[in-house]
Amino acid sequence: MTSTETSVSVKPSRLFDTYVRMPVSMVRGDGPWLFDDQGHRYLDALSGIAVCSLGHAHPRLAEVIADQAATLLHTANIVHIPQQEALATALCEISGLDRAFIANSGAEAIECALKLARRHAHERGIARPAVLVASDSFHGRTLAALSASGNAAIQAGFGPLVDGFVRVPFGDLPAAVSAFESNPDIVAVLVEPIQGEGGVRPAPEGYLAGLRSACDRHQALLMLDEIQTGMARTGHWFAFQHIPGLMPDVMTVAKALGNGVPIGACLAREEVARLLPAGSHGTTFGGNPLACRVGLEVINIMREQDIPARAARLGHLLQGRLRSGLADIPGVVDIRGQGLMVGIELAEPVPELKDRAMERGLIINITRGNTIRLLPPLIIDDDQVARIADIVIDLVKTRFQA
Ligand SMILES: *Cc1c(COP(=O)(O)O)cnc(C)c1O
């Protein structure tokens, strides 16, 4: 590992210093495995942050990418794009929503959702609308998305922030209800069903259903950010589907939709989608044949192999093994999550644990300083789940029993 450090630190980088990068360069992937330029192999328990849910170098995705590249990459949205139509249809089938706007990233999907909220407000004659958002939320890095996010670090130095957000504590339904009652300008709620960057925090029982009723009472849109939780990660296509009868008005998707090819989508109910008629919103790259063909193939593969059920089963296995292995460790505060989105909250900040994991050939992530976040590819097998759990258990034991 020391030789890797020297090889990447020789030349001064020409890149912005926006990331603290681990001293390793990956050159190849295969299913749940990554290989660095020194020939070391790593089990990927992060999937490029919930992106490569079908693993790396998936042969069917490689094939459609090559085929589409050799056929047609881009036309812009001035003509019909059959791959985009097909992807929108598939997204509506798996979500129950009616329409899709295809973008290039999560933050762009969020921008589309926020623009829908603004249009919804203006239709109702509300001149200075507000969107209710949660503490510790994460919605992306564009100006409106970071303004919606409940994270001081990502907002610092970027003021003035975009106006029109009212923040309440995540999971606190009475706080949301009273915000609605005291502020008639609230026209939408934007919330993650399980906060990802915020520490893998599932919404408490009854929270999303309660927000749904509050939105109905106040003619507001329920907008769910499923960018991290969506696409089978939690054991259903979308995390809101764990709650019987719940349906959002708007939902954002990205990350695993392209398995690494950049794509995002904002889905909406028919009446809501109509708030953005021709000319009111757009994107040059969004919905291009390549990204849409990949998104569609991702859904096809996930359907054929019932990946949502697989994520549910493996999630139980992973959480179960972590729970028994970490049962008597005093530094473990909580183990939580749904499907293959799992967090282990520890009593102290443990930023170094991701480096210790890497030395053991495992890629993990730490959120909020003290929470190990596991987002492995959904195609891992039982043995790989056990291997992830065993290494993590050992790292935590070593850290808290030393
Ligand atoms: C990653 C993420 C985003 C931002 O997506 P980008 O593609 O990075 O713009 C927004 N919301 C949630 C919940 C995310 O996890």
Side-chain angles (χ1 to χ4, degrees):
M1 207 66 53
T2 7
S3 61
T4 320
E5 270 158 55
T6 19
S7 76
V8 292
S9 57
V10 180
K11 282 188 205 149
S13 176
R14 291 290 194 168
L15 296 170
F16 283 20
D17 288 324
T18 48
Y19 289 95
V20 179
R21 295 180 168 90
M22 290 197 266
V24 57
S25 306
M26 300 302 177
V27 292
R28 189 167 70 80
D30 183 10
W33 300 100
L34 284 168
F35 299 84
D36 72 14
D37 58 0
Q38 309 292 305
H40 299 124
R41 186 177 82 149
Y42 305 83
L43 183 55
D44 187 358
L46 187 60
S47 313
I49 318 189
V51 169
C52 301
S53 285
L54 294 177
H56 302 282
H58 194 290
R60 278 177 62 181
L61 297 178
E63 195 186 309
V64 297
I65 290 168
D67 182 64
Q68 194 60 47
T71 308
L72 181 65
L73 281 180
H74 181 84
T75 61
N77 287 291
I78 53 165
V79 294
H80 288 282
I81 299 174
Q83 295 87 350
Q84 192 183 135
E85 295 283 351
L87 176 62
T89 300
L91 281 169
C92 291
E93 283 167 4
I94 62 175
S95 68
L97 287 158
D98 303 316
R99 296 275 193 148
F101 179 87
I102 311 294
N104 305 290
S105 67
E108 283 172 81
I110 291 288
E111 293 283 335
C112 181
L114 294 171
K115 287 175 79 170
L116 284 170
R118 291 277 174 99
R119 282 269 165 137
H120 173 65
H122 296 310
E123 286 246 315
R124 289 181 49 202
I126 294 173
R128 296 199 56 80
V131 174
L132 196 71
V133 290
S135 59
D136 300 319
S137 59
F138 181 76
H139 300 295
R141 303 287 198 145
T142 58
L143 264 176
L146 75 84
S147 302
S149 299
N151 181 328
I154 75 162
Q155 295 178 337
F158 296 120
L161 299 181
V162 173
D163 213 359
F165 294 103
V166 170
R167 195 171 308 283
V168 288
F170 178 70
D172 184 343
L173 186 58
V177 168
S178 78
F180 263 115
E181 279 160 7
S182 63
N183 189 343
D185 289 340
I186 295 175
V187 293
V189 173
L190 175 64
V191 71
E192 298 154 82
I194 302 174
Q195 290 192 325
E197 306 302 308
V200 193
R201 294 187 180 279
E205 186 90 39
Y207 184 58
L208 295 179
L211 290 178
R212 175 71 274 176
S213 325
C215 286
D216 292 343
R217 282 196 303 277
H218 297 275
Q219 292 174 263
L221 303 177
L222 178 62
M223 310 199 299
L224 296 182
D225 181 349
E226 292 246 20
I227 290 168
Q228 193 161 144
T229 50
M231 299 307 296
R233 172 61 54 188
T234 71
H236 276 299
W237 284 109
F238 298 101
F240 79 81
Q241 293 165 339
H242 288 279
I243 302 156
L246 187 82
M247 186 55 84
D249 300 299
V250 175
M251 178 174 70
T252 54
V253 189
K255 292 207 161 95
L257 178 55
N259 209 64
V261 171
I263 186 167
C266 179
L267 308 184
R269 286 194 302 107
E270 179 70 37
E271 313 85 271
V272 179
R274 266 195 234 124
L275 294 164
L276 291 179
S280 61
H281 190 48
T283 161
T284 298
F285 294 133
N288 68 76
L290 178 75
C292 291
R293 177 121 180 246
V294 173
L296 187 61
E297 190 70 356
V298 165
I299 294 175
N300 288 341
I301 295 167
M302 287 186 167
R303 275 177 154 160
E304 286 165 30
Q305 300 176 4
D306 201 358
I307 295 292
R310 185 185 180 96
R313 187 180 69 76
L314 293 175
H316 270 113
L317 205 62
L318 179 58
Q319 281 208 45
R321 199 164 174 114
L322 288 168
R323 272 179 214 290
S324 54
L326 293 171
D328 302 318
I329 312 300
V332 178
V333 176
D334 193 17
I335 300 168
R336 55 181 176 248
Q338 208 160 24
L340 282 174
M341 179 171 186
V342 175
I344 304 154
E345 184 179 337
L346 301 168
E348 292 164 24
V350 288
E352 76 288 354
L353 274 196
K354 65 177 189 311
D355 303 307
R356 297 293 86 76
M358 187 160 261
E359 289 158 12
R360 305 273 305 268
L362 180 71
I363 313 282
I364 62 168
N365 173 251
I366 310 292
T367 58
R368 295 185 68 74
N370 67 352
T371 302
I372 297 173
R373 178 169 49 165
L374 302 176
L375 297 161
L378 310 179
I379 46 89
I380 54 169
D381 63 25
D382 294 29
D383 289 346
Q384 290 156 351
V385 166
R387 183 177 174 131
I388 293 169
D390 292 348
I391 296 174
V392 167
I393 290 164
D394 199 54
L395 290 169
V396 173
K397 278 189 178 166
T398 309
R399 171 66 174 72
F400 285 94
Q401 288 179 337

Short mmCIF file of all heavy atoms in Angstrom, two decimals, residues 104-148:
data_model
loop_
_atom_site.label_atom_id
_atom_site.label_comp_id
_atom_site.label_asym_id
_atom_site.label_seq_id
_atom_site.Cartn_x
_atom_site.Cartn_y
_atom_site.Cartn_z
N ASN A 104 -29.48 14.00 -15.97
CA ASN A 104 -28.15 13.38 -15.99
C ASN A 104 -27.61 12.99 -14.63
O ASN A 104 -26.57 12.34 -14.54
CB ASN A 104 -27.13 14.35 -16.60
CG ASN A 104 -27.56 14.81 -17.97
OD1 ASN A 104 -27.56 14.03 -18.90
ND2 ASN A 104 -27.96 16.06 -18.08
N SER A 105 -28.26 13.43 -13.57
CA SER A 105 -27.70 13.21 -12.24
C SER A 105 -28.81 13.36 -11.20
O SER A 105 -29.92 13.80 -11.51
CB SER A 105 -26.61 14.24 -11.94
OG SER A 105 -27.19 15.53 -11.84
N GLY A 106 -28.44 13.03 -9.98
CA GLY A 106 -29.38 13.17 -8.88
C GLY A 106 -29.74 14.62 -8.63
O GLY A 106 -30.93 14.97 -8.52
N ALA A 107 -28.73 15.48 -8.57
CA ALA A 107 -29.00 16.89 -8.28
C ALA A 107 -29.93 17.49 -9.33
O ALA A 107 -30.81 18.30 -9.01
CB ALA A 107 -27.69 17.67 -8.21
N GLU A 108 -29.75 17.09 -10.58
CA GLU A 108 -30.64 17.62 -11.63
C GLU A 108 -32.07 17.11 -11.48
O GLU A 108 -33.02 17.83 -11.81
CB GLU A 108 -30.10 17.24 -13.01
CG GLU A 108 -28.93 18.10 -13.43
CD GLU A 108 -28.31 17.56 -14.70
OE1 GLU A 108 -28.83 17.84 -15.79
OE2 GLU A 108 -27.31 16.84 -14.59
N ALA A 109 -32.20 15.87 -11.03
CA ALA A 109 -33.55 15.36 -10.76
C ALA A 109 -34.19 16.17 -9.64
O ALA A 109 -35.39 16.49 -9.69
CB ALA A 109 -33.48 13.87 -10.41
N ILE A 110 -33.40 16.51 -8.62
CA ILE A 110 -33.88 17.34 -7.51
C ILE A 110 -34.30 18.72 -8.01
O ILE A 110 -35.34 19.26 -7.62
CB ILE A 110 -32.80 17.46 -6.41
CG1 ILE A 110 -32.58 16.11 -5.70
CG2 ILE A 110 -33.13 18.57 -5.41
CD1 ILE A 110 -33.70 15.67 -4.78
N GLU A 111 -33.50 19.31 -8.88
CA GLU A 111 -33.84 20.63 -9.43
C GLU A 111 -35.21 20.56 -10.12
O GLU A 111 -36.03 21.48 -10.00
CB GLU A 111 -32.78 21.09 -10.44
CG GLU A 111 -31.42 21.39 -9.82
CD GLU A 111 -31.35 22.73 -9.08
OE1 GLU A 111 -32.14 23.65 -9.39
OE2 GLU A 111 -30.51 22.84 -8.17
N CYS A 112 -35.43 19.49 -10.86
CA CYS A 112 -36.71 19.33 -11.56
C CYS A 112 -37.85 19.25 -10.54
O CYS A 112 -38.89 19.90 -10.70
CB CYS A 112 -36.66 18.07 -12.43
SG CYS A 112 -38.16 17.79 -13.37
N ALA A 113 -37.64 18.48 -9.47
CA ALA A 113 -38.67 18.36 -8.43
C ALA A 113 -38.95 19.73 -7.80
O ALA A 113 -40.12 20.10 -7.59
CB ALA A 113 -38.21 17.37 -7.35
N LEU A 114 -37.90 20.49 -7.51
CA LEU A 114 -38.09 21.80 -6.88
C LEU A 114 -38.79 22.77 -7.83
O LEU A 114 -39.61 23.59 -7.41
CB LEU A 114 -36.74 22.37 -6.41
CG LEU A 114 -36.08 21.57 -5.26
CD1 LEU A 114 -34.67 22.08 -5.01
CD2 LEU A 114 -36.93 21.65 -3.98
N LYS A 115 -38.51 22.65 -9.12
CA LYS A 115 -39.20 23.50 -10.09
C LYS A 115 -40.68 23.13 -10.17
O LYS A 115 -41.54 24.00 -10.33
CB LYS A 115 -38.51 23.42 -11.46
CG LYS A 115 -37.16 24.17 -11.47
CD LYS A 115 -36.40 24.00 -12.77
CE LYS A 115 -36.91 24.89 -13.89
NZ LYS A 115 -35.98 24.85 -15.08
N LEU A 116 -40.98 21.83 -10.06
CA LEU A 116 -42.39 21.41 -9.99
C LEU A 116 -43.08 22.03 -8.79
O LEU A 116 -44.22 22.51 -8.89
CB LEU A 116 -42.49 19.88 -9.91
CG LEU A 116 -42.25 19.09 -11.20
CD1 LEU A 116 -42.14 17.60 -10.90
CD2 LEU A 116 -43.38 19.35 -12.21
N ALA A 117 -42.39 22.04 -7.64
CA ALA A 117 -42.98 22.63 -6.43
C ALA A 117 -43.26 24.12 -6.63
O ALA A 117 -44.33 24.63 -6.23
CB ALA A 117 -42.04 22.42 -5.24
N ARG A 118 -42.34 24.82 -7.28
CA ARG A 118 -42.54 26.26 -7.53
C ARG A 118 -43.73 26.48 -8.45
O ARG A 118 -44.58 27.35 -8.21
CB ARG A 118 -41.27 26.87 -8.15
CG ARG A 118 -40.07 26.94 -7.18
CD ARG A 118 -40.15 28.17 -6.31
NE ARG A 118 -39.13 28.22 -5.27
CZ ARG A 118 -38.00 28.91 -5.35
NH1 ARG A 118 -37.69 29.58 -6.45
NH2 ARG A 118 -37.16 28.93 -4.34
N ARG A 119 -43.83 25.68 -9.51
CA ARG A 119 -44.97 25.81 -10.43
C ARG A 119 -46.30 25.50 -9.73
O ARG A 119 -47.30 26.18 -9.95
CB ARG A 119 -44.80 24.85 -11.62
CG ARG A 119 -43.81 25.35 -12.64
CD ARG A 119 -44.55 26.16 -13.69
NE ARG A 119 -43.63 26.94 -14.49
CZ ARG A 119 -43.69 27.08 -15.80
NH1 ARG A 119 -44.64 26.48 -16.48
NH2 ARG A 119 -42.83 27.84 -16.44
N HIS A 120 -46.25 24.46 -8.91
CA HIS A 120 -47.45 24.07 -8.15
C HIS A 120 -47.91 25.24 -7.28
O HIS A 120 -49.10 25.56 -7.20
CB HIS A 120 -47.10 22.84 -7.30
CG HIS A 120 -48.17 22.42 -6.35
ND1 HIS A 120 -49.40 21.95 -6.76
CD2 HIS A 120 -48.21 22.39 -4.98
CE1 HIS A 120 -50.14 21.64 -5.70
NE2 HIS A 120 -49.43 21.91 -4.61
N ALA A 121 -46.94 25.93 -6.66
CA ALA A 121 -47.26 27.08 -5.81
C ALA A 121 -47.87 28.21 -6.64
O ALA A 121 -48.90 28.79 -6.26
CB ALA A 121 -45.99 27.59 -5.13
N HIS A 122 -47.25 28.51 -7.76
CA HIS A 122 -47.73 29.65 -8.54
C HIS A 122 -49.12 29.39 -9.11
O HIS A 122 -49.94 30.30 -9.17
CB HIS A 122 -46.69 30.04 -9.60
CG HIS A 122 -45.40 30.51 -8.96
ND1 HIS A 122 -45.38 31.47 -7.97
CD2 HIS A 122 -44.11 30.12 -9.11
CE1 HIS A 122 -44.12 31.66 -7.56
NE2 HIS A 122 -43.34 30.85 -8.25
N GLU A 123 -49.40 28.13 -9.46
CA GLU A 123 -50.77 27.76 -9.88
C GLU A 123 -51.77 28.04 -8.76
O GLU A 123 -52.92 28.38 -9.03
CB GLU A 123 -50.83 26.26 -10.20
CG GLU A 123 -50.18 25.89 -11.49
CD GLU A 123 -51.18 25.39 -12.52
OE1 GLU A 123 -52.04 24.58 -12.14
OE2 GLU A 123 -51.09 25.84 -13.68
N ARG A 124 -51.33 27.85 -7.53
CA ARG A 124 -52.21 28.07 -6.38
C ARG A 124 -52.19 29.53 -5.93
O ARG A 124 -52.80 29.88 -4.92
CB ARG A 124 -51.79 27.17 -5.21
CG ARG A 124 -52.09 25.70 -5.42
CD ARG A 124 -51.66 24.87 -4.21
NE ARG A 124 -52.16 25.47 -2.97
CZ ARG A 124 -51.63 25.26 -1.77
NH1 ARG A 124 -50.58 24.46 -1.63
NH2 ARG A 124 -52.13 25.84 -0.69
N GLY A 125 -51.45 30.39 -6.64
CA GLY A 125 -51.42 31.81 -6.30
C GLY A 125 -50.54 32.14 -5.12
O GLY A 125 -50.68 33.19 -4.48
N ILE A 126 -49.61 31.26 -4.83
CA ILE A 126 -48.69 31.51 -3.71
C ILE A 126 -47.40 32.09 -4.29
O ILE A 126 -46.68 31.44 -5.05
CB ILE A 126 -48.42 30.20 -2.93
CG1 ILE A 126 -49.73 29.76 -2.26
CG2 ILE A 126 -47.31 30.39 -1.91
CD1 ILE A 126 -49.66 28.41 -1.60
N ALA A 127 -47.12 33.34 -3.94
CA ALA A 127 -46.01 34.07 -4.58
C ALA A 127 -44.65 33.71 -3.99
O ALA A 127 -43.64 33.73 -4.69
CB ALA A 127 -46.26 35.58 -4.47
N ARG A 128 -44.61 33.44 -2.68
CA ARG A 128 -43.32 33.13 -2.05
C ARG A 128 -43.37 31.76 -1.39
O ARG A 128 -43.38 31.64 -0.16
CB ARG A 128 -42.96 34.22 -1.03
CG ARG A 128 -42.77 35.60 -1.68
CD ARG A 128 -41.98 36.55 -0.80
NE ARG A 128 -40.67 36.02 -0.42
CZ ARG A 128 -39.59 36.05 -1.21
NH1 ARG A 128 -39.67 36.55 -2.42
NH2 ARG A 128 -38.45 35.55 -0.80
N PRO A 129 -43.38 30.71 -2.21
CA PRO A 129 -43.58 29.36 -1.68
C PRO A 129 -42.37 28.83 -0.91
O PRO A 129 -41.24 29.28 -1.12
CB PRO A 129 -43.80 28.52 -2.94
CG PRO A 129 -43.10 29.26 -4.02
CD PRO A 129 -43.23 30.71 -3.68
N ALA A 130 -42.64 27.86 -0.05
CA ALA A 130 -41.58 27.19 0.70
C ALA A 130 -41.74 25.68 0.56
O ALA A 130 -42.85 25.17 0.44
CB ALA A 130 -41.65 27.60 2.17
N VAL A 131 -40.60 25.01 0.58
CA VAL A 131 -40.58 23.55 0.58
C VAL A 131 -40.07 23.09 1.95
O VAL A 131 -39.05 23.59 2.44
CB VAL A 131 -39.67 23.01 -0.54
CG1 VAL A 131 -39.54 21.50 -0.47
CG2 VAL A 131 -40.20 23.43 -1.92
N LEU A 132 -40.82 22.18 2.55
CA LEU A 132 -40.42 21.66 3.85
C LEU A 132 -39.33 20.60 3.65
O LEU A 132 -39.52 19.66 2.88
CB LEU A 132 -41.65 21.04 4.54
CG LEU A 132 -41.53 20.79 6.04
CD1 LEU A 132 -41.55 22.11 6.80
CD2 LEU A 132 -42.66 19.89 6.53
N VAL A 133 -38.21 20.78 4.33
CA VAL A 133 -37.09 19.84 4.22
C VAL A 133 -36.63 19.43 5.62
O VAL A 133 -37.04 20.05 6.61
CB VAL A 133 -35.91 20.45 3.42
CG1 VAL A 133 -36.26 20.60 1.95
CG2 VAL A 133 -35.48 21.80 4.01
N ALA A 134 -35.79 18.40 5.69
CA ALA A 134 -35.43 17.83 6.98
C ALA A 134 -34.00 18.15 7.39
O ALA A 134 -33.13 18.37 6.54
CB ALA A 134 -35.62 16.31 6.94
N SER A 135 -33.77 18.11 8.67
CA SER A 135 -32.41 18.22 9.20
C SER A 135 -31.59 17.03 8.71
O SER A 135 -32.14 15.95 8.46
CB SER A 135 -32.44 18.22 10.73
OG SER A 135 -33.04 17.02 11.19
N ASP A 136 -30.31 17.22 8.53
CA ASP A 136 -29.37 16.17 8.14
C ASP A 136 -29.67 15.53 6.78
O ASP A 136 -29.19 14.44 6.48
CB ASP A 136 -29.30 15.06 9.20
CG ASP A 136 -28.84 15.60 10.54
OD1 ASP A 136 -27.91 16.44 10.55
OD2 ASP A 136 -29.43 15.23 11.58
N SER A 137 -30.48 16.22 5.98
CA SER A 137 -30.81 15.67 4.66
C SER A 137 -29.68 15.94 3.68
O SER A 137 -28.83 16.81 3.90
CB SER A 137 -32.09 16.32 4.14
OG SER A 137 -31.92 17.73 4.04
N PHE A 138 -29.68 15.18 2.60
CA PHE A 138 -28.74 15.43 1.51
C PHE A 138 -29.47 15.29 0.18
O PHE A 138 -30.07 14.26 -0.10
CB PHE A 138 -27.54 14.49 1.53
CG PHE A 138 -26.57 14.77 0.41
CD1 PHE A 138 -25.71 15.86 0.47
CD2 PHE A 138 -26.55 13.97 -0.73
CE1 PHE A 138 -24.84 16.15 -0.58
CE2 PHE A 138 -25.67 14.25 -1.79
CZ PHE A 138 -24.82 15.34 -1.71
N HIS A 139 -29.41 16.35 -0.64
CA HIS A 139 -30.11 16.32 -1.92
C HIS A 139 -29.20 16.69 -3.09
O HIS A 139 -29.70 16.81 -4.21
CB HIS A 139 -31.33 17.23 -1.88
CG HIS A 139 -32.33 16.85 -0.82
ND1 HIS A 139 -33.02 15.66 -0.87
CD2 HIS A 139 -32.71 17.46 0.33
CE1 HIS A 139 -33.81 15.57 0.21
NE2 HIS A 139 -33.64 16.64 0.95
N GLY A 140 -27.92 16.91 -2.85
CA GLY A 140 -27.01 17.19 -3.96
C GLY A 140 -26.29 18.52 -3.81
O GLY A 140 -26.47 19.24 -2.83
N ARG A 141 -25.50 18.85 -4.83
CA ARG A 141 -24.53 19.95 -4.72
C ARG A 141 -24.82 21.16 -5.59
O ARG A 141 -24.04 22.11 -5.58
CB ARG A 141 -23.14 19.43 -5.05
CG ARG A 141 -22.69 18.27 -4.19
CD ARG A 141 -22.36 18.72 -2.79
NE ARG A 141 -21.55 17.70 -2.11
CZ ARG A 141 -20.59 17.98 -1.24
NH1 ARG A 141 -20.29 19.22 -0.94
NH2 ARG A 141 -19.94 17.01 -0.66
N THR A 142 -25.85 21.13 -6.42
CA THR A 142 -26.21 22.35 -7.15
C THR A 142 -26.79 23.33 -6.13
O THR A 142 -27.13 22.94 -5.00
CB THR A 142 -27.23 22.07 -8.26
OG1 THR A 142 -28.38 21.48 -7.66
CG2 THR A 142 -26.65 21.12 -9.32
N LEU A 143 -26.93 24.60 -6.51
CA LEU A 143 -27.29 25.60 -5.49
C LEU A 143 -28.63 25.34 -4.81
O LEU A 143 -28.74 25.44 -3.60
CB LEU A 143 -27.26 27.00 -6.10
CG LEU A 143 -25.93 27.75 -5.85
CD1 LEU A 143 -25.94 29.08 -6.57
CD2 LEU A 143 -25.67 27.96 -4.35
N ALA A 144 -29.65 24.99 -5.60
CA ALA A 144 -30.94 24.73 -4.96
C ALA A 144 -30.87 23.44 -4.14
O ALA A 144 -31.41 23.36 -3.03
CB ALA A 144 -32.06 24.63 -6.00
N ALA A 145 -30.19 22.42 -4.68
CA ALA A 145 -30.10 21.14 -3.96
C ALA A 145 -29.32 21.29 -2.66
O ALA A 145 -29.70 20.72 -1.64
CB ALA A 145 -29.45 20.08 -4.86
N LEU A 146 -28.25 22.07 -2.67
CA LEU A 146 -27.50 22.23 -1.41
C LEU A 146 -28.25 23.14 -0.43
O LEU A 146 -28.14 22.97 0.78
CB LEU A 146 -26.05 22.68 -1.66
CG LEU A 146 -25.70 24.11 -2.06
CD1 LEU A 146 -25.58 25.01 -0.85
CD2 LEU A 146 -24.38 24.11 -2.81
N SER A 147 -29.06 24.04 -0.98
CA SER A 147 -29.89 24.86 -0.10
C SER A 147 -30.96 24.01 0.59
O SER A 147 -31.34 24.28 1.72
CB SER A 147 -30.56 25.98 -0.90
OG SER A 147 -29.59 26.79 -1.53
N ALA A 148 -31.41 22.98 -0.12
CA ALA A 148 -32.41 22.07 0.46
C ALA A 148 -31.79 21.12 1.47
O ALA A 148 -32.49 20.55 2.31
CB ALA A 148 -33.09 21.27 -0.66
#
